[in-house]
Amino acid sequence: MVSISRLAKSYRRGDQSVPVLFDISLEIPEGDFLALMGPSGSGKSTLLNLIAGIDKPDSGTLLVDGEDITRLSEADLADWRAAHVGFIFQFYNLMPVLDAFENVELPLLLTSLSRRERRERVEMALSLVGLSDRMDHHPNELSGGQQQRVAIARALIADPAIIVADEPTGDLDRKSAGEILALLRRLNEEMGKTIVMVTHDWHAVESARRVVHLEKGELVDAPAPHAAGSD
Amino acid sequence: MHFLKLVFKNIFRHKLRSLLTLFGLVVAILAFGLLHTVVNAWYAGSDMASAQRLIARNAVSLVFPLPIYYRDRIRTVDGVTAVSVSNWFGGIYKDMAPANFFAQFGVDHENFFDLYPEFRTNPEELLAFKKDRRGAMVGRHLADQHGFKVGDVIPVKGTIYPGNWEFVVRGVYEPRDDTTITRQLYFHWDYLNEEIRRKYPRRAEQVGVFIIQIADGSRAAEVSRAVDREFANSLAETLTETEKAFQLSFIAQTETIVMAIRIVSFVVIVIIFAVVANTMAMTARERLAEYATLKALGFGPAFVGMLIVGESLAITLLGGALGILATFPAAAGFKAAMGSLFPVFRVAPETVAMQAACALAVGLLAGLLPSIRAARVRIVDGLRHIG
Ligand SMILES: Nc1ncnc2c1ncn2[C@@H]1O[C@H](COP(=O)(O)OP(=O)(O)OP(=O)(O)O)[C@@H](O)[C@H]1O
Ligand SMILES: [Mg+2]
């Protein structure tokens, strides 16, 4: 599904460039649930952003379903994201002025679906995450866990093949985190979504099928003792 | 639908900030409208001037009169259909208070009102006016202001022509439309002349200006030249021009004030532009993470940019509309407070159009820069703006 080879990325700070990822190669088969771990600053988010097509690498290729997304133009990449990627963020990133229903509906505005079709889909997605009774609630009227469930509904509403999640439980208590992870497992197991999740949380890792560790911008086989996930 | 919802709901996220910006806009657009209305009021006299009328005055200066016998010679100039006279009197009614100021003119009672069809007169009243040597016609505005009625005697203290004068109201003339100024008193020049002849014989048989009616307005320049040629190299040469040009020459003296008012009105707009631009820049910066999220979801830079321009436009157009609506009562209040200083004080359609255009321009320009910034923000940078 996702085939990463020799990917490198550095950021520019002033006149010097700071390398973040070195020579990353990774295969993510369809239906995988991959947990990406590593110490803070190791480049996890950067790698995830590259896979999700919201950032561009300096070199290397990133094939998704055989298409090299590093060669797409900004506009094509935007269309590609809308069709193929669902996003889950640590701080949910819902639009504060829209209610749960409208937030979930947002990605569908980029499709040609009718109002009715959109409504049906949104209601289905919200019931899947257990928030049918909170459709007209605004984000500030929802708990963190509920907001993240709305975000999950938004992430799957356009039926993307890949879902990327950057520390989806990072801002949640144990119980809410458990609910979110259970949901993600269902998306993976029942709906066959390919999920790439950055996390610090060992509980989260248990939900994943596979774990890869990133250290100082390189993939390592096993985590160095005390280095990963101890915080 | 969602777009408009996002735009409108975003406006009220920072209620105080939006309300203050809105308040500033209302005040600015209102001030702009009032200032332009003042400028218009200044020019109102020249707007009502007819192109069918010429004014001949002393070429040296308006303060010098012309001999009355010129009237007969002007009548003979080709293109001239009638000649009347008008003489500024400059008397004081009651006291020097601005509210009590109004203009009095000694005119040729026989034909003056024939030359001014914009003053609607009652035939019987006009006849009574013509018959009474001390008779006067007062405008509707003036009559209402001081409660003058037919039969009233108006005492006026002369300044240019010293003495205590009395005019008897014989009629009230009505305005043809709301651009007609009816705040003057017209009396018999003959009466004035007779009194002067008695008291200051050397100043008699003279008039301030001749009012010349011409058959064809398009020949105004030609007829004016012909009149002036008639008196070239005489003791009192004439300067003849259209009534409009004549009125404008008065305004020219105050042109710098008018210019200053105009400049101030645009400065007000520039200031409110800076305020709105600052508000929008702050707003856009705070929401970078939201814009980045929208872009991550696949929305294009244009959508994100339009959100900001839309919000900016919504605020400025709302403020503009309220400002325009407030201009009308404010202008009415202004007029009441200024008394008769500006006889025609109304908000012109062009003023409203300019107010709307200013609001539109401020909205577009103020939103433009922040919207370009937000549209261009790299998603990863925008997302890092959280928390
Ligand atoms: N937009 C950017 N500009 C400059 N430097 C950046 C940018 N994004 C990330 N970096 C740098 O790249 C490195 C990796 O950042 P990244 O966010 O990928 O780390 P991470 O593994 O996700 O860390 P964390 O666990 O704290 O989220 C860090 O040193 C960070 O400072
Ligand atoms: Mg990170």
Side-chain angles (χ1 to χ4, degrees), chain A residues 125-147:
Chain A
L126 278 170
S127 81
L128 190 86
V129 299
L131 287 176
S132 292
D133 54 340
R134 296 290 156 92
M135 291 203 287
D136 56 353
H137 284 52
H138 284 77
N140 62 1
E141 298 162 333
L142 297 169
S143 72
Q146 288 170 330
Q147 288 187 60

Side-chain angles (χ1 to χ4, degrees), chain B residues 6-25:
Chain B
L6 275 169
V7 166
F8 283 106
K9 290 200 161 175
N10 273 334
I11 294 177
F12 295 104
R13 274 167 78 172
H14 283 279
K15 287 201 179 63
L16 185 63
R17 187 198 293 172
S18 297
L19 282 177
L20 286 174
T21 307
L22 201 62
F23 176 72
L25 270 160

Side-chain angles (χ1 to χ4, degrees), chain A residues 111-126:
Chain A
T111 67
S112 57
L113 292 180
S114 74
R115 216 186 158 74
R116 237 195 62 220
E117 290 168 314
R118 293 204 305 262
R119 167 158 281 280
E120 282 169 6
R121 277 225 208 176
V122 173
E123 283 172 356
M124 204 151 74
L126 278 170

Side-chain angles (χ1 to χ4, degrees), chain A residues 11-13 18 20 38-47 166-167 198 200 214, chain B residues 378 380-381 384:
Chain A
Y11 281 114
R12 215 150 254 302
R13 197 170 289 135
V18 183
V20 177
S40 183
S42 58
K44 304 181 297 293
S45 296
T46 304
L47 179 57
D166 197 344
E167 303 190 37
V198 168
H200 279 126
L214 205 56
Chain B
R378 292 175 61 236
V380 286
D381 293 338
R384 287 163 72 92

Side-chain angles (χ1 to χ4, degrees), chain A residues 55 81 93 97 102 105, chain B residues 2 5 9 293 295-296 386:
Chain A
D55 203 358
R81 285 195 303 269
N93 290 24
V97 293
E102 292 161 337
E105 189 184 16
Chain B
H2 279 66
K5 195 159 197 168
K9 290 200 161 175
T293 305
K295 286 177 80 174
I386 300 178

Side-chain angles (χ1 to χ4, degrees), chain A residues 213-228:
Chain A
H213 293 271
L214 205 56
E215 243 166 70
K216 292 181 181 153
E218 286 176 298
L219 288 174
V220 292
D221 293 335
H226 313 300

Side-chain angles (χ1 to χ4, degrees), chain B residues 64-306:
Chain B
F64 295 106
L66 291 169
I68 185 68
Y69 68 81
Y70 278 17
R71 175 165 55 185
D72 296 332
R73 282 171 65 185
I74 294 171
R75 271 198 201 110
T76 64
V77 172
D78 182 42
V80 172
T81 52
V83 181
S84 190
V85 305
S86 176
N87 201 105
W88 173 258
F89 182 72
I92 297 167
Y93 173 66
K94 282 187 182 168
D95 54 35
M96 296 284 279
N100 286 327
F101 168 81
F102 61 88
Q104 311 97 26
F105 296 92
V107 300
D108 183 339
H109 59 272
E110 283 301 337
N111 67 358
F112 179 81
F113 284 96
D114 299 339
L115 266 64
Y116 284 82
E118 60 263 48
F119 298 144
R120 295 272 159 85
T121 52
N122 171 320
E124 281 160 34
E125 287 181 357
L126 190 60
L127 199 65
F129 163 67
K130 287 179 181 175
K131 279 188 184 154
D132 184 353
R133 211 171 57 91
R134 294 191 306 145
M137 294 290 282
V138 297
R140 170 52 61 199
H141 186 137
L142 186 61
D144 289 347
Q145 192 182 353
H146 295 288
F148 294 150
K149 294 181 308 295
V150 171
D152 283 0
V153 174
I154 302 176
V156 176
K157 197 166 154 26
T159 54
I160 308 170
Y161 308 103
N164 292 315
W165 300 70
E166 285 187 341
F167 304 114
V168 184
V169 178
R170 287 300 170 207
V172 177
Y173 57 89
E174 306 286 340
R176 179 174 56 196
D177 55 50
D178 69 350
T179 65
T180 307
I181 301 173
T182 56
R183 229 192 63 237
Q184 316 83 315
L185 178 149
Y186 296 108
F187 63 95
H188 292 212
W189 175 81
D190 285 349
Y191 172 44
L192 176 67
N193 195 43
E194 281 162 29
E195 294 295 310
I196 294 170
R197 201 186 293 143
R198 270 195 313 118
K199 293 179 182 164
Y200 324 96
R202 286 182 56 223
R203 290 173 65 187
E205 313 303 331
Q206 291 178 330
V207 297
V209 298
F210 291 101
I211 301 154
I212 304 166
Q213 188 181 54
I214 54 177
D216 178 0
S218 65
R219 285 182 59 205
E222 179 193 333
V223 177
S224 298
R225 276 196 303 275
V227 170
D228 291 343
R229 212 169 323 123
E230 182 71 28
F231 304 103
N233 300 319
S234 69
L235 219 52
E237 297 197 339
T238 59
L239 193 157
T240 307
E241 57 198 351
T242 61
E243 189 174 55
K244 180 159 188 128
F246 177 72
Q247 297 281 9
L248 284 173
S249 70
F250 275 105
I251 296 165
Q253 300 163 5
T254 54
E255 195 85 307
T256 38
I257 298 174
V258 171
M259 186 54 87
I261 294 178
R262 276 192 209 278
I263 291 172
V264 167
S265 76
F266 284 103
V267 166
V268 168
I269 295 300
V270 169
I271 291 172
I272 195 62
F273 163 75
V275 170
V276 178
N278 182 51
T279 304
M280 291 319 299
M282 267 189 338
T283 299
R285 197 161 45 240
E286 286 169 4
R287 300 190 189 147
L288 274 184
E290 283 167 43
Y291 300 137
T293 305
L294 284 170
K295 286 177 80 174
L297 296 181
F299 289 92
F303 180 89
V304 170
M306 284 304 296

Side-chain angles (χ1 to χ4, degrees), chain A residues 159-226:
Chain A
D159 197 22
I162 312 168
I163 289 179
V164 296
D166 197 344
E167 303 190 37
T169 59
D171 204 42
L172 297 176
D173 59 60
R174 178 67 63 75
K175 181 168 169 292
S176 303
E179 287 167 10
I180 296 302
L181 290 168
L183 255 175
L184 289 178
R185 246 191 337 263
R186 276 185 66 196
L187 298 189
N188 176 246
E189 285 165 9
E190 294 172 22
M191 302 172 73
K193 302 290 178 200
T194 304
I195 300 179
V196 184
M197 171 177 71
V198 168
T199 188
H200 279 126
D201 178 0
W202 282 103
H203 293 280
V205 174
E206 282 164 16
S207 295
R209 290 175 194 267
R210 203 154 65 93
V211 190
V212 294
H213 293 271
L214 205 56
E215 243 166 70
K216 292 181 181 153
E218 286 176 298
L219 288 174
V220 292
D221 293 335
H226 313 300

